[in-house]
Amino acid sequence: MEIGNPFRLTQREYEATINALNIFFGAIIGVSLGNITEIPMDDYILLLVIISAMVSSILLVTYTHRRIWNSIMLTAVLLAAWYAESNAGDLIDFPERVLPTLTVWGALAVMTEFSDRADDPQSD
């Protein structure tokens, strides 16, 4: 029985990793948004639109053949969000842990997407 290279993902391992990242970080974002209290509805809608764009950018990295382009776009979206949070005053106020969570999720998604791939082993 051959163990293979532990640093190369088979297609099934890649898909499992992406699914695990999406489920885990989706739940974390849900908890972060669920803890928002007393925010005006228009601010909440703006927050949802921005966060959904960021989540879509993360998912595009892993579900498209244009990995490099979408990785650049994801980086730009995350940097713009961090900039808006720290420099744009009252324009947007992200919940405390949302930007770090999205950034870690995006980084892990990009690292997984660009990881080495191996052929799936033959099943018996």
Side-chain angles (χ1 to χ4, degrees):
M1 179 168 129
E2 183 179 325
I3 294 175
N5 184 343
F7 300 106
R8 296 183 76 198
L9 298 175
T10 65
Q11 183 61 31
R12 291 174 58 191
E13 291 167 338
Y14 164 78
E15 291 170 5
T17 301
I18 293 300
N19 287 335
L21 289 173
N22 293 344
I23 290 168
F24 176 76
F25 283 103
I28 297 297
I29 295 297
V31 168
S32 296
L33 293 177
N35 289 331
I36 296 175
T37 57
E38 299 183 24
I39 182 174
M41 187 57 72
D42 55 340
D43 290 345
Y44 183 71
I45 291 170
L46 177 62
L47 184 65
L48 288 179
V49 168
I50 292 170
I51 290 174
S52 67
M54 295 167 71
V55 169
S56 295
S57 296
I58 293 169
L59 295 178
L60 275 174
V61 169
T62 59
Y63 288 102
T64 184
H65 64 280
R66 298 180 293 197
R67 297 182 308 172
I68 294 172
W69 170 250
N70 284 302
S71 295
I72 292 168
M73 291 304 297
L74 171 60
T75 301
V77 166
L78 288 170
L79 288 174
W82 280 98
Y83 178 81
E85 171 73 10
S86 61
N87 297 315
D90 293 331
L91 178 65
I92 186 73
D93 186 23
F94 290 97
E96 183 179 0
R97 300 184 191 276
V98 167
L99 284 180
T101 300
L102 288 166
T103 302
V104 170
W105 183 6
L108 290 173
V110 169
M111 287 173 23
T112 301
E113 186 60 32
F114 287 95
S115 64
D116 285 338
R117 304 281 171 79
D119 293 331
D120 282 322
Q122 298 295 325
S123 60
D124 295 331

